[in-house]
C-alpha cells in the first residue's frame, strides 16, 4: 500500500479512505477549512509528533497537506530524514477546493484567517515600507530595515524556509483553536 512522493488531487480523492491526512498549517489556517478527517500537526511541531506519525505510517500511508504544497514538501523531507514515509498533496488545500472537493470546518462559524504566505507578504511589505519611510523622514540608517527584510526574502527563497512564517505562526491569532493530536490521532485511525 505504497504512495508516491506526490499525489494529485484526483489521486488523493480516490484514495482518501486509505490515507492518514496530516495538515501542517497553523491551527488558525486549519480551522478555516481542511481536508475531511485531517489531523492538524503544524510544521513547527512535526519533530514532537514523530512517534505518533511513525506509528500512523505503519498502518496507513501519510498524506501531508498545507495551503499550496511548500510547507508540506518541507514536512515530507523532515519525516523522510527520520525514516517516516509520507507523500504530499500537489497544490494543497487550495487545489483540493479548486477541484470541487469539500473542506471540513470545526463546529460553528468558520473563522476567516489569512493564509501564512499572505501574512508573510503583508508583514514583509509593511516592514520594507516602514524602513523606507523612517529612512526618509527620521534617519537614513532606518533604510537598513528594508535591506534586512530583502536579504531575509532572498535567503528564504534560496533555502526554501521562512523564518518569518515560523514567527508569525507563533502569534496568538494563529494559535487559536489549537488542539494537540486528538484522540483520533493518526495512530488510532487504522
Amino acid at each position: 500500500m505504497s504512495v508516491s512522493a506526490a499525489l494529485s488531487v484526483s489521486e488523493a480523492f480516490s484514495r482518501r479512505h486509505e490515507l492518514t491526512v496530516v495538515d501542517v498549517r497553523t491551527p488558525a489556517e486549519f480551522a478555516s477549512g481542511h481536508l475531511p478527517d485531517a489531523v492538524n500537526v503544524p510544521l513547527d511541531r512535526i519533530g514532537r509528533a514523530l512517534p505518533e506519525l511513525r506509528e500512523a505510517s505503519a498502518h496507513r500511508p501519510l498524506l501531508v497537506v498545507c495551503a499550496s504544497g511548500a510547507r508540506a514538501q518541507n514536512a515530507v523531507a523532515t519525516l523522510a530524514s527520520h525514516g517516516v514515509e509520507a507523500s504530499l498533496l500537489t497544490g494543497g488545500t487550495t487545489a483540493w477546493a479548486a477541484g470541487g472537493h469539500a473542506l471540513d470546518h470545526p463546529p460553528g462559524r468558520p473563522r476567516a484567517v489569512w493564509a501564512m504566505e499572505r501574512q508573510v507578504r503583508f508583514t514583509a511589505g509593511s516592514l520594507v515600507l516602514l524602513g523606507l519611510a523612517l529612512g526618509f523622514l527620521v534617519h537614513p540608517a532606518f533604510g537598513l530595515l528594508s535591506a534586512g527584510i530583502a536579504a531575509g526574502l532572498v535567503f528564504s527563497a534560496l533555502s526554501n524556509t521562512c523564518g518569518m512564517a515560523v514567527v508569525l505562526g507563533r502569534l496568538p491569532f494563529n494559535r487559536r483553536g489549537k488542539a494537540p493530536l486528538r484522540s483520533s490521532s493518526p495512530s488510532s485511525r487504522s
Side-chain angles (χ1 to χ4, degrees):
M1 189 195 277
S2 69
V3 178
S4 62
L7 292 179
S8 69
V9 170
S10 60
E11 291 170 317
F13 183 78
S14 68
R15 297 182 68 184
R16 68 191 179 281
H17 299 296
E18 67 185 61
L19 301 169
T20 296
V21 180
V22 179
D23 193 317
V24 296
R25 297 176 299 155
T26 66
E29 289 176 294
F30 181 79
S32 69
H34 54 271
L35 272 66
D37 298 321
V39 176
N40 186 217
V41 181
L43 183 58
D44 64 342
R45 292 192 222 149
I46 288 287
R48 287 179 262 166
L50 275 172
E52 291 104 332
L53 293 171
R54 181 174 284 115
E55 184 179 333
S57 71
H59 300 290
R60 296 168 75 172
L62 298 181
L63 178 66
V64 181
V65 179
C66 68
S68 64
R71 285 178 279 178
Q73 188 173 24
N74 288 338
V76 167
T78 299
L79 290 169
S81 72
H82 291 282
V84 178
E85 287 188 39
S87 299
L88 64 94
L89 176 63
T90 304
T93 56
T94 303
W96 180 269
H101 304 296
L103 294 175
D104 281 357
H105 299 277
R109 197 177 102 155
R111 213 174 121 250
V113 66
W114 283 3
M116 185 56 63
E117 293 172 39
R118 186 175 181 191
Q119 291 180 43
V120 167
R121 290 191 310 264
F122 177 79
T123 304
S126 297
L127 289 172
V128 167
L129 287 175
L130 178 65
L132 290 172
L134 290 175
F136 180 71
L137 299 172
V138 178
H139 190 276
F142 280 107
L144 293 175
L145 175 62
S146 298
I149 296 300
L153 290 171
V154 169
F155 176 78
S156 177
L158 293 174
S159 66
N160 199 26
T161 61
C162 187
M164 189 178 290
V166 170
V167 171
L168 290 171
R170 293 184 180 176
L171 293 175
F173 60 85
N174 279 323
R175 290 292 182 195
R176 271 190 231 151
K178 172 180 131 182
L181 287 177
R182 30 183 153 128
S183 57
S184 63
S185 69
S187 58
S188 65
R189 290 176 47 201
S190 34

